[in-house]
Amino acid sequence: LTPLLLVYLIVAAILALLQASFCVSKKVNKTEDMASMGAIPICPSAFEIFSDYFHAMFHTSMAIKYFRSLGVRCKMGLISSQIHRVNLYFGDGKDGRNSRGYEKVTLMGGDSQKDLRSLIKSLPPNNNNGEDDVKGATTTTSIHFTSDDSLTAARREKKLLETKGEGKTARVGRVAVLDAANRKHVGGSGMRPYGGSQEEALIRQSNLYWLINPSYNSHLRGQCNKILGDTSHHIPYFGAIYAQDVTFLPDHNYDNIPKKSRDAHSEGKKSKPSMDSNQAIQLDVIAAAFIDLREKSDEWRFCSWTKSKIEYVILRKIEAILGAAAAGHCTSLVLAAIGCGVFARNPRLIGMLEGEIVLSSSTNYNTTQRSSLAVARLVGACFAQVLKAPPFVNRFDRVVFAIAYNEPMLEAFKVAFEERWTRII
């Protein structure tokens, strides 16, 4: 295997250099006028392209099988078991056996602000109470914050919606969870045995990877070609992918996963494990990508950012998320502190967003944490501003912000949200 690996890496390096040189040759002027701003181009460096080729090796069934052998007490072993499990139920997406649901995936908005405005204008009238209300019902958006992860919060919202029954003030609604998506790579590292982003956690417990992947979903591929021009990226810059009825598997003891994968043949036929339909749930997913403010990112290089410009784009991104939710007739939303993690790791943001950083205790935060908290406060305030203004004011029954494993960020986000919320009349 060693000679083959070396040949693969050499070919990957050559291809990376060729692709990077083509990208660098494209002339891109820095964005100054935010009102006419279009999508920031995806222009990876040779190292990033080579890194993609290298990491592709870990997407193979051989790699997943090896890391599974390490056991679930090893992080990579546990993740590999999760990936193996979704493959058992949903396969590789190529045989058409799990094609049901592909046609329920819709690309909303686009790469221009004009596309976003068209999405907003196409929404049904709200009239502050929601057109879908039954006669006599009133709707006031209830805001909640939780330290649970997105899927746990979404399961709870789904159960709460189902227990409402057919009461006089009940509305027939849907629960949608936000997928903080990777704009460059479908699912991020969700189908590889490492990484731990919010999107990757959703990918490893559902059929979401196949639904939002243009390589498998021909219905979505056609939309990307029509609206975005090609399939070089699947998430519109001023929009989102709305996937309806995504199937999430029930919790599982990963020590008891069958050893044979769905790809294994038994008497020439593929076998598929049974699943308790009462335990699996279906949720709508809104896949949206946020601003990558890291110093080496495309967005940082192709735009001269200021606080006002960052806030402007954040507001447009949030409008796209809520616009997709409204178009999908959602009544309960599970959102996240999108863009406040890895994408916010930039020391230059601390000075730029001065005044957004409020430390609740005497705890000493490092530079990375301070920049993330600064962005979290700005994002929280922007969510409050968009939710309190037409056409989204009181459009949704419940909005839950699930920010897990980071109490300082949850507090910073919540404080900023409530401050902006109470200031808006």
Side-chain angles (χ1 to χ4, degrees):
L1 292 177
T2 302
L4 291 175
L5 179 60
L6 289 174
V7 171
Y8 175 82
L9 294 177
I10 291 172
V11 173
I14 295 172
L15 291 174
L17 290 171
L18 291 174
Q19 289 178 257
S21 62
F22 173 77
C23 184
V24 170
S25 66
K26 295 189 296 185
K27 294 182 179 180
V28 180
N29 297 322
K30 284 200 171 185
T31 301
E32 299 295 341
D33 181 16
M34 303 309 291
S36 61
M37 175 186 178
I40 300 294
I42 297 177
C43 192
S45 65
F47 177 79
E48 290 175 317
I49 298 172
F50 176 78
S51 178
D52 291 341
Y53 282 115
F54 177 79
H55 287 292
M57 296 187 297
F58 294 90
H59 196 161
T60 62
S61 57
M62 183 182 298
I64 298 302
K65 183 177 181 180
Y66 168 75
F67 288 109
R68 277 189 66 218
S69 67
L70 300 180
V72 295
R73 293 185 179 181
C74 167
K75 182 178 179 179
M76 295 184 77
L78 175 60
I79 293 175
S80 296
S81 295
Q82 293 172 334
I83 295 171
H84 174 68
R85 185 180 179 221
V86 296
N87 274 315
L88 283 174
Y89 287 100
F90 304 115
D92 60 10
K94 293 180 180 179
D95 58 8
R97 291 159 67 92
N98 65 324
S99 61
R100 186 179 64 179
Y102 281 176
E103 70 282 356
K104 294 183 178 181
V105 178
T106 307
L107 193 151
M108 298 185 179
D111 277 344
S112 71
Q113 294 183 60
K114 182 179 179 181
D115 296 324
L116 174 58
R117 289 192 291 268
S118 297
L119 170 62
I120 301 300
K121 289 180 180 178
S122 67
L123 298 178
N126 182 27
N127 299 324
N128 292 340
N129 289 325
E131 196 175 66
D132 292 333
D133 291 350
V134 296
K135 187 176 181 180
T138 59
T139 303
T140 301
T141 301
S142 177
I143 307 295
H144 303 270
F145 300 87
T146 179
S147 58
D148 292 329
D149 62 81
S150 296
L151 185 53
T152 300
R155 290 181 188 275
R156 184 168 57 247
E157 290 301 306
K158 180 77 171 182
K159 187 174 182 179
L160 181 63
L161 189 65
E162 291 173 347
T163 56
K164 284 184 177 180
E166 298 297 332
K168 294 182 179 179
T169 60
R171 293 201 299 169
V172 177
R174 310 185 66 87
V175 177
V177 58
L178 174 62
D179 167 18
N182 187 311
R183 180 171 169 240
K184 294 182 179 180
H185 309 109
V186 179
S189 297
M191 299 302 285
R192 299 169 188 167
Y194 47 80
S197 71
Q198 185 257 10
E199 177 180 42
E200 290 156 3
L202 297 178
I203 289 287
R204 292 164 185 159
Q205 299 180 71
S206 68
N207 61 337
L208 181 62
Y209 175 77
W210 291 274
L211 293 177
I212 66 171
N213 193 335
S215 298
Y216 296 118
N217 188 342
S218 59
H219 180 69
L220 176 62
R221 183 164 63 248
Q223 296 178 72
C224 288
N225 287 326
K226 180 180 179 180
I227 300 174
L228 306 180
D230 54 42
T231 57
S232 60
H233 63 289
H234 63 301
I235 304 290
Y237 198 79
F238 293 104
I241 292 178
Y242 190 92
Q244 186 176 320
D245 294 333
V246 179
T247 301
F248 286 86
L249 300 177
D251 293 333
H252 189 79
N253 180 359
Y254 286 95
D255 286 318
N256 297 325
I257 295 179
K259 293 185 177 180
K260 291 185 178 181
S261 70
R262 185 179 174 209
D263 293 331
H265 287 69
S266 175
E267 296 182 0
K269 296 183 178 180
K270 291 184 177 181
S271 58
K272 182 178 180 180
S274 59
M275 176 174 59
D276 188 346
S277 59
N278 294 323
Q279 293 180 335
I281 64 169
Q282 289 187 321
L283 299 167
D284 293 358
V285 174
I286 304 169
F290 226 58
I291 317 175
D292 188 348
L293 293 173
R294 292 174 292 183
E295 285 189 278
K296 294 184 179 180
S297 70
D298 295 327
E299 284 160 296
W300 188 264
R301 289 186 291 126
F302 293 136
C303 186
S304 301
W305 292 105
T306 62
K307 179 182 176 180
S308 60
K309 289 182 179 180
I310 293 174
E311 185 170 4
Y312 179 88
V313 177
I314 288 176
L315 289 170
R316 302 293 83 75
K317 296 275 191 179
I318 293 174
E319 287 174 356
I321 293 168
L322 299 183
H329 304 286
C330 299
T331 53
S332 298
L333 294 180
V334 177
L335 304 175
I338 187 170
C340 303
V342 175
F343 284 3
R345 294 179 180 176
N346 186 344
R348 296 173 63 180
L349 292 173
I350 297 176
M352 186 180 297
L353 303 180
E354 188 176 3
E356 295 294 341
I357 305 174
V358 176
L359 306 182
S360 60
S361 65
S362 59
T363 305
N364 294 322
Y365 294 100
N366 59 35
T367 302
T368 298
Q369 291 170 322
R370 291 180 67 197
S371 62
S372 295
L373 290 175
V375 175
R377 281 186 56 83
L378 186 57
V379 172
C382 289
F383 263 114
Q385 181 171 327
V386 178
L387 281 168
K388 201 79 179 277
F392 304 112
V393 57
N394 292 333
R395 182 179 283 269
F396 310 105
D397 286 347
R398 290 171 59 86
V399 174
V400 180
F401 291 97
I403 305 173
Y405 319 120
N406 196 328
E407 288 297 331
M409 183 176 291
L410 174 60
E411 180 184 3
F413 187 98
K414 181 179 179 181
V415 168
F417 183 96
E418 292 175 342
E419 286 179 355
R420 183 74 64 91
W421 184 269
T422 55
R423 289 208 310 262
I424 300 174
I425 300 176

